[in-house]
Amino acid sequence: MKTLSILALLLAATAGAQAQTPITTTTDTKAVLGLLRGNVDLYGVTFGSGEFQRGILQLAQQRTIKVRVMTSPKFVQNMKPLKALGAAVYTMPANFTNSLIVVQGGPIIIPTKTSYQIITDPKNATAMTGLLTQYWQIAKPY
């Protein structure tokens, strides 16, 4: 089983950037939820605090976001609430070491239990999204 370190991918994607990647750190869950619009990809097994996860479910229920999830087979059962709301859930045989949220055409969000790192630079967000795209080709629908 592969280990998929999303932070390692992030570093690889942004290493060639000429300017330093603008990363904002915040603990404001509502502000981060406000960044979620349109197509949103979730990579990993857990996505921030319980409050943040409930917010994602609410946005999916309101159809504010269209969610696609990539997770490991071991944790796919935890995605049933999202799947019930229409999310496309995929599995990949990997040990996700952290989580990542990609807002298509927008920021990349790295949630922890207590804070969020937000990458807003379009060049770096596009590079990171490009690296992650390859995994959808090998992921299996749940």
Side-chain angles (χ1 to χ4, degrees):
M1 186 175 289
K2 300 174 193 170
T3 299
L4 181 60
S5 175
I6 294 172
L7 292 179
L9 287 173
L10 172 65
L11 293 174
T14 60
Q18 293 178 355
Q20 189 168 359
T21 306
I23 298 177
T24 304
T25 301
T26 184
T27 58
D28 188 344
T29 298
K30 289 182 182 183
V32 177
L33 285 168
L35 298 172
L36 303 182
R37 295 289 179 260
N39 294 324
V40 176
D41 293 338
L42 307 176
Y43 299 86
V45 295
T46 59
F47 305 97
S49 66
E51 177 187 1
F52 187 71
Q53 291 177 44
R54 285 187 297 277
I56 291 173
L57 287 171
Q58 185 177 25
L59 291 171
Q61 185 176 30
Q62 295 168 348
R63 305 280 189 242
T64 303
I65 60 175
K66 182 178 178 183
V67 179
R68 187 169 64 159
V69 180
M70 184 180 302
T71 190
S72 70
K74 184 177 176 181
F75 292 93
V76 73
Q77 296 295 325
N78 296 345
M79 305 305 159
K80 279 187 176 183
L82 278 169
K83 185 164 178 70
L85 292 172
V89 178
Y90 293 81
T91 63
M92 190 171 77
N95 292 322
F96 288 86
T97 58
N98 44 19
S99 298
L100 186 77
I101 299 168
V102 175
V103 180
Q104 296 299 319
I108 292 179
I109 302 161
I110 304 167
T112 67
K113 288 198 181 280
T114 58
S115 67
Y116 310 88
Q117 291 183 326
I118 304 165
I119 301 169
T120 55
D121 177 62
K123 182 177 179 180
N124 289 315
T126 300
M128 184 66 188
T129 302
L131 283 175
L132 292 167
T133 300
Q134 65 184 325
Y135 293 107
W136 293 108
Q137 297 169 6
I138 59 172
K140 306 285 185 220
Y142 171 66

